[in-house]
Amino acid sequence: MLTWDFLSMIGTIAFAISGAIVAMEEDYDILGIYILGIVTAFGGGAIRNLLIGVPVSTLWEQGTFFQIALLSITLIIIFPHHLLKHWHKWGNFTDAIGLSAFAIQGALYAADMNHPLSAIIVAAVLTGSGGGMIRDLLAQRKPLVLRSEIYAVWAIITGLLIGLNIFTSAVELIILFITITALRVLSYTYKWKLPTKQIQVKLKIK
């Protein structure tokens, strides 16, 4: 339990900072920076709770994680240049940890409630990448998880493996966490991408 809390803490920090950085890039004011950072860190989990029937009030029981997120955002506001130097080096790695930990957490939530496989997969995806999608939409950007390197796919695989009871014990879940984190690191290191299909529309001028 402590292990997952620690991993979730790292994910919370990574997602909160990423939201704050996007807000700063879009010239948001101080309030906007805090809002986007919090939404990125907790938005995916909040939507997951609504969809799988977990009381929304559960979100407010994560007081420590909220404090950690607020502190992380505050530090990036006060020391943007110092922290961004390290963030560009380690940001993707901590984000990969967050994706993996949150995807497993979301899948386990749904599995413990005896939801079907489809719901377990959706819970994993929303918890692991939902916050990032909300962040990009609020910043009026195309969601990166839907068009850039392979990202949400790893959350889908996580939900599938847990939903099929392939990974159930604590040791197996740790192995799954390490594997998904490593795959995410490889995907952004070597720029793995899913195939795309574009449609060109020709306008007829009369």
Side-chain angles (χ1 to χ4, degrees), residues 176-191:
L176 177 61
F177 164 75
I178 294 172
T179 302
I180 296 299
T181 301
L183 288 171
R184 171 57 189 152
V185 170
L186 289 172
S187 69
Y188 72 70
T189 300
Y190 296 102
K191 301 187 184 302

Side-chain angles (χ1 to χ4, degrees), residues 39-51 54 59 62 102 105 123 126-128 130-131 134:
V39 165
T40 305
F42 299 99
I47 296 176
R48 173 207 67 206
N49 288 354
L50 287 172
L51 290 180
V54 175
L59 184 66
Q62 304 181 55
F102 281 0
Q105 178 197 77
L126 286 177
T127 312
I134 297 172

Side-chain angles (χ1 to χ4, degrees), residues 12 15-24 27-43 65-79 135 138:
T12 299
F15 289 165
I17 291 177
S18 72
I21 289 173
V22 169
M24 294 169 72
D27 294 325
Y28 281 28
D29 61 20
I30 296 296
L31 179 60
I33 294 172
Y34 276 104
I35 290 176
L36 204 59
I38 292 296
V39 165
T40 305
F42 299 99
F65 288 101
F66 270 102
Q67 293 170 10
I68 291 171
L70 289 172
L71 177 60
S72 301
I73 297 168
T74 301
L75 289 175
I76 202 70
I77 291 174
I78 298 175
F79 307 107
R135 174 202 64 206
L138 290 177

Side-chain angles (χ1 to χ4, degrees), residues 48-49 52 54 58 104-115:
R48 173 207 67 206
N49 288 354
I52 68 175
V54 175
T58 303
I104 292 173
Q105 178 197 77
L108 291 175
Y109 260 112
D112 289 343
M113 297 180 69
N114 296 316
H115 282 301

Side-chain angles (χ1 to χ4, degrees), residues 67 90 192:
Q67 293 170 10
W90 297 104
W192 294 348

